Amino acid sequence: MQRTRHSEEFKEQALGKARARGSRTLNEVATELNMPLGTLKGWLKTAKTSGAGSPMPEQLPEGRSIDQWSAAERMLALHESHGLHGQALHAWCREKGLFEHQLVSWRQAFCATAEPESVQDARASKAELKALQGKHERLQRELLRKERALAEAAALLVLQKKFQALLGGED
């Protein structure tokens, strides 16, 4: 089988298409590029381990729907629109084909993953966990006590029946 050497430009283009494939599979992208799926997967793996995962884009994409934007492209949009307010923000959004509510939701999603748990929340969850562990231990002890009482009652019933069988009904 003949090995094909691809140029660095082709490799970067293929990686870009693979990363921005949307709902398409890697196999479909590889078929479109007329290359083996294994080669494309290898390139993606190499790029991921070498730290070239998803570089920050130079400019926002044009011609693609907003649903297909990568996280880096959304971050760039947030960065570009950060200092804008009012009419300037609306004009920027019209120019880029965005809505203000999309920027707000992207900002909230980004900040939600970046915010650390507050100290009070951590203390509250630890206290709640400790209370649940105490309740669990109490329930375990109560269950053990009831199991022992049930075993004792069963043993007494068995002894009572044996005693009655030995006496043969005499009281």
Side-chain angles (χ1 to χ4, degrees), residues 14-156:
L15 288 172
K17 281 190 175 191
R19 289 184 189 120
R21 68 183 184 269
S23 62
R24 299 183 314 161
T25 64
L26 279 177
N27 195 16
E28 291 172 353
V29 174
T31 303
E32 177 186 322
L33 295 170
N34 196 22
M35 63 182 296
L37 176 62
T39 302
L40 184 58
K41 283 184 176 181
W43 288 353
L44 283 169
K45 186 176 180 181
T46 303
K48 192 176 203 178
T49 57
S50 69
S54 65
M56 193 69 163
E58 296 289 324
Q59 61 183 11
L60 293 175
E62 294 179 15
R64 272 195 294 147
S65 81
I66 294 166
D67 297 334
Q68 295 177 343
W69 284 20
S70 68
E73 292 165 340
R74 291 179 182 185
M75 183 66 184
L76 181 62
L78 287 173
H79 179 72
E80 286 184 10
S81 66
H82 178 68
L84 303 176
H85 298 289
Q87 293 298 325
L89 178 61
H90 296 300
W92 184 87
C93 286
R94 276 192 305 275
E95 179 184 325
K96 303 300 181 184
L98 295 171
F99 291 102
E100 187 177 354
H101 69 86
Q102 291 169 322
L103 293 172
V104 170
S105 67
W106 293 347
R107 187 177 298 114
Q108 288 173 346
F110 178 75
C111 291
T113 58
E115 287 180 359
E117 188 177 299
S118 72
V119 175
Q120 288 179 343
D121 290 343
R123 287 181 185 156
S125 63
K126 283 183 182 179
E128 186 178 335
L129 178 64
K130 200 168 203 170
L132 286 173
Q133 286 175 338
K135 183 177 181 181
H136 177 72
E137 288 173 6
R138 283 193 308 277
L139 289 173
Q140 288 292 331
R141 282 194 303 267
E142 185 179 348
L143 181 63
L144 184 61
R145 181 185 59 80
K146 288 181 178 182
E147 284 178 348
R148 287 178 182 163
L150 184 61
E152 185 180 349
L156 287 173

